[in-house]
Amino acid sequence: MTTTTTAGARVPSDLAAALLSAALLGASLPALAQAGQALEQDLVRVDAAVSAVETAIVRAAGEGGELREARESADGEQAAAAAEDQASPPASAASAAEPAAAGQAGAAAAAADETPAPGPRVRNRLDPWENWNRKVFNFNEKLDEHVLRPVATAYSDLVPQPARQAVDNFFGNFSDAWSAINLFLQGRFKNGATQTMRVAVNSVFGIAGLIDIATPAGLEKTSEDLGRTLGYWGVKTGPYIVWPLLGPSSLRDSVTLPVNVYYSPAYLFDDGEYKFAITALQVINTRANLLRVTDMLDGIALDKYTFVRDAYLQRRNVKTHKEQEEEDDYEVISPDEKPVNPQSDR
């Protein structure tokens, strides 16, 4: 295919098409450049918009945290205010409670004026002289600490145990003789006869009581004195008393104390020196036997005076013959025996 130019020359169709395309491209280049610039500006606007969105997101997150902290602080303030409201009543309630409290206080004061003042409080009805007894007890404790305990400790260290046991048996034999007399005074003749047999066996076969043969032979020891005999016949113990040097006692036992002392081994001798020596030996030997007990008592007793008082009163508490007779009147049924069922015969 051929075309004709203005000059009349004939030009091939392909060349004409190429020339037309070049002309059109040259004409469209300014438009393309302008479109590229517009596209570049749009990309810049998009980047700016993205940055703005990111900034807004960060700002929104920060504002959310501040808002959460503000809410938490507000909740804490509300809780504190509620606690204060619960702790302190309203002014109206307080003002209403004041007259009632004043009225109650006035009534209590009036009742206190009308009620007589109570008397002095007694700690223990069996120890009405406790203040004085504690002073004597402290004196005896000091005497024991500085004199009796050191002497008893030296006696226990120097004298062999068999010798100390023989001395203890000798004094115990005299105590058994006095116990036998009191058992007869109590009307307990069977026990009195057993105790008399015990004294006889130890006096004859035990070399004046130095050896205890009666206990292995089955003759048990029963300790009694005149104070317990009076208690057996219904005499009450009476107030608790602490005597200097002699220690704890009671009103009943204090009355019988001279008789109990009179029937001690020391009064077998007329010479005063022998009496003093026998008495001193008896006291030291008795104190030596109590060394372990007192050491343990010093370690465990919070109030030594109260402990000694209660132990003494409990040991000196004696059942009267009437109480023992009432106990003997009860029928004792062994586990093998069965009570008679009146309905079994029907």
Side-chain angles (χ1 to χ4, degrees):
M1 175 180 181
T2 59
T3 58
T4 304
T5 62
T6 58
R10 299 180 66 86
V11 180
S13 58
D14 296 335
L15 180 59
L19 292 174
L20 182 59
S21 300
L24 293 174
L25 180 61
S28 61
L29 283 176
L32 291 174
Q34 186 176 1
Q37 292 178 356
L39 180 60
E40 184 178 359
Q41 292 177 358
D42 292 338
L43 292 175
V44 171
R45 291 192 190 96
V46 170
D47 291 337
V50 171
S51 299
V53 170
E54 291 180 352
T55 304
I57 292 173
V58 172
R59 186 178 301 149
E63 291 178 355
E66 293 177 356
L67 181 61
R68 184 171 58 255
E69 292 179 356
R71 288 180 178 177
E72 292 178 354
S73 61
D75 293 340
E77 292 177 357
Q78 291 178 359
E84 291 179 357
D85 292 340
Q86 293 178 357
S88 58
S92 59
S95 60
E98 286 178 359
Q104 293 178 358
D113 294 338
E114 294 177 359
T115 305
R121 177 175 174 268
V122 180
R123 296 184 180 179
N124 191 308
R125 63 182 182 84
L126 294 178
D127 190 8
W129 307 317
E130 182 175 353
N131 293 332
W132 170 256
N133 288 336
R134 283 186 177 274
K135 295 178 181 179
V136 179
F137 179 82
N138 293 331
F139 169 77
N140 291 340
E141 286 291 302
K142 295 296 182 181
L143 181 64
D144 178 76
E145 179 182 357
H146 294 92
V147 179
L148 290 180
R149 182 177 293 190
V151 174
T153 303
Y155 169 81
S156 179
D157 295 337
L158 296 177
V159 179
Q161 198 277 334
R164 288 187 281 113
Q165 185 63 48
V167 174
D168 195 40
N169 293 336
F170 175 78
F171 290 117
N173 195 42
F174 278 90
S175 177
D176 291 342
W178 182 231
S179 297
I181 296 174
N182 282 277
L183 286 171
F184 284 117
L185 293 176
Q186 295 175 13
R188 302 162 62 185
F189 299 105
K190 182 179 179 180
N191 293 333
T194 303
Q195 196 72 6
T196 303
M197 183 64 66
R198 174 184 173 87
V199 174
V201 169
N202 285 335
S203 299
V204 175
F205 300 101
I207 312 174
L210 295 176
I211 303 174
D212 185 8
I213 299 177
T215 300
L219 299 173
E220 298 296 334
K221 182 182 181 70
T222 303
S223 297
E224 297 291 341
D225 54 35
L226 189 57
R228 291 179 61 87
T229 299
L230 294 180
Y232 181 83
W233 292 111
V235 179
K236 300 298 183 180
T237 305
Y240 179 71
I241 305 173
V242 181
W243 293 105
L245 303 179
L246 300 178
S249 183
S250 64
L251 183 60
R252 183 191 67 196
D253 295 339
S254 298
V255 173
T256 62
L257 186 61
V259 181
N260 291 328
V261 173
Y262 181 79
Y263 285 99
S264 63
Y267 281 83
L268 294 176
F269 303 93
D270 295 332
D271 193 351
E273 294 181 359
Y274 286 105
K275 287 185 178 181
F276 178 78
I278 294 297
T279 303
L281 179 60
Q282 185 177 4
V283 172
I284 294 173
N285 184 78
T286 303
R287 186 62 184 88
N289 293 334
L290 298 176
L291 284 175
R292 293 183 179 180
V293 177
T294 53
D295 292 341
M296 181 179 63
L297 182 60
D298 293 337
I300 64 175
L302 299 178
D303 187 359
K304 190 175 181 180
Y305 170 83
T306 304
F307 185 87
V308 173
R309 179 195 64 192
D310 296 343
Y312 178 84
L313 293 177
Q314 184 177 4
R315 185 173 64 88
R316 300 300 296 179
N317 187 19
V318 184
K319 290 184 179 180
T320 64
H321 69 289
K322 293 183 179 180
E323 294 175 347
Q324 294 186 9
E325 290 176 356
E326 291 176 356
E327 290 181 357
D328 294 339
D329 290 339
Y330 289 102
E331 181 182 1
V332 179
I333 301 176
S334 62
D336 296 335
E337 298 177 356
K338 296 182 180 179
V340 178
N341 188 0
Q343 297 180 355
S344 62
D345 297 336
R346 296 179 182 179

